[in-house]
Amino acid sequence: MGANYLKEIRLKDSLDKLDEYLVNIPAVKYLIEGHSLEFDKPVTFFIGENGSGKSTLLEAIAVSYGFNAEGGSRNFNFSTRKTQSNMEEYLILSRFLQPQDGYFLRAESFYNLATNIDDLDVGRSYGEESL
């Protein structure tokens, strides 16, 4: 159990400036009601209907850990357009470990990441083909 990075997430008590649309997302409502999410296994799957808050929670956790909201590593920060919520400002992460390195891979933003790598002309470090 000590090998997990994340132990639990919950929300801060004060939610004054929480983005208005977040309060209607089921996963966020669950946290607003005072519940927490505990991570007691090495792998966690978030499943649910579209709009239930899976991506919103994962993005907020990643940003809280210092990753780019659009995907990538901590050292690969870019922004095509700010589309993320401000939920990370209200999360409290209970951690077992702080990762030394990592990567936030999200299907929605892989195109943006690959395009940015092409624009920076550093693709040769990933092979001769565009990602």
Side-chain angles (χ1 to χ4, degrees):
M1 181 131 74
N4 291 358
Y5 289 100
L6 191 56
K7 179 180 179 182
E8 173 188 56
I9 63 170
R10 57 189 166 84
L11 292 180
K12 295 178 181 176
D13 291 334
S14 174
L15 303 175
D16 311 359
K17 297 178 183 176
L18 185 67
D19 285 348
E20 189 62 36
Y21 83 94
L22 286 173
V23 298
N24 294 313
I25 296 175
V28 180
K29 279 184 182 179
Y30 179 79
L31 293 172
I32 289 172
E33 292 169 355
H35 301 282
S36 65
L37 293 177
E38 294 182 17
F39 300 89
D40 58 356
K41 304 285 186 225
V43 176
T44 300
F45 292 94
F46 284 18
I47 57 171
E49 299 291 326
N50 289 343
S52 63
K54 304 175 300 290
S55 294
T56 301
L57 280 177
L58 288 173
E59 180 180 87
I61 292 168
V63 172
S64 293
Y65 263 107
F67 292 100
N68 182 11
E70 292 191 46
S73 71
R74 289 187 188 152
N75 300 323
F76 198 75
N77 254 330
F78 66 94
S79 179
T80 54
R81 180 172 54 145
K82 184 177 178 347
T83 57
Q84 76 268 18
S85 70
N86 67 340
M87 189 167 170
E88 74 279 355
E89 298 172 25
Y90 298 93
L91 279 185
I92 297 173
L93 304 181
S94 297
R95 307 170 192 200
F96 283 117
L97 300 169
Q98 178 68 30
Q100 299 303 309
D101 197 8
Y103 202 90
F104 177 39
L105 179 64
R106 43 181 304 171
E108 300 95 337
S109 61
F110 181 73
Y111 176 78
N112 292 339
L113 179 66
T115 301
N116 190 253
I117 288 172
D118 286 346
D119 291 345
L120 293 172
D121 198 27
V122 294
R124 279 177 260 157
S125 62
Y126 293 96
E128 293 301 319
E129 298 294 320
S130 170
L131 292 175

